[in-house]
Amino acid sequence: MTYATLAGAILAEVLGTSSMKYSEGFTRLWPTLGAVAGYLVAFALLAQTLKTMSVGTAYAIWAGLGTAAIAAIGMAFMGEAANAAKITGLALVIAGVVVLNLGGAH
């Protein structure tokens, strides 16, 4: 259940960040509300995750996978350039999360 809650926190953070992109500096109402709601849900779920997972591991997974997801979404759907360096960086972030989990996530 801990990983499901953490996955929900990551998804909410990704939705919040994507909404922030479309809020145009918080000048558009609905994307702004989406960003606020996304981050509220993300932090609430992350807080629940921290009841049973160490803070270092939880935050590393949350930040790492959230960053990788946003970078991939940016390249796939928001017109950001995709190049070998970015893709290698994403692979390294994901590899780091895997290594953390192999080392014992709790």
Side-chain angles (χ1 to χ4, degrees), residues 36-103:
V36 171
Y39 277 102
L40 285 173
V41 170
F43 282 110
L45 292 174
L46 182 60
Q48 294 304 308
T49 300
L50 294 177
K51 290 180 178 179
T52 56
M53 184 181 283
S54 69
V55 68
T57 300
Y59 190 77
I61 294 169
W62 182 69
L65 292 183
T67 299
I70 284 296
I73 288 167
M75 288 184 282
F77 302 108
M78 296 179 177
E80 295 179 10
N83 57 45
K86 283 187 179 181
I87 293 169
T88 300
L90 290 175
L92 289 171
V93 168
I94 293 167
V97 170
V98 170
V99 169
L100 278 172
N101 279 289
L102 292 174

Side-chain angles (χ1 to χ4, degrees), residues 2 4-17 19 32-50 62:
T2 300
T5 305
L6 184 56
I10 293 166
L11 177 62
E13 187 266 335
V14 167
L15 292 172
T17 301
S19 294
T32 297
L33 293 176
V36 171
Y39 277 102
L40 285 173
V41 170
F43 282 110
L45 292 174
L46 182 60
Q48 294 304 308
T49 300
L50 294 177
W62 182 69

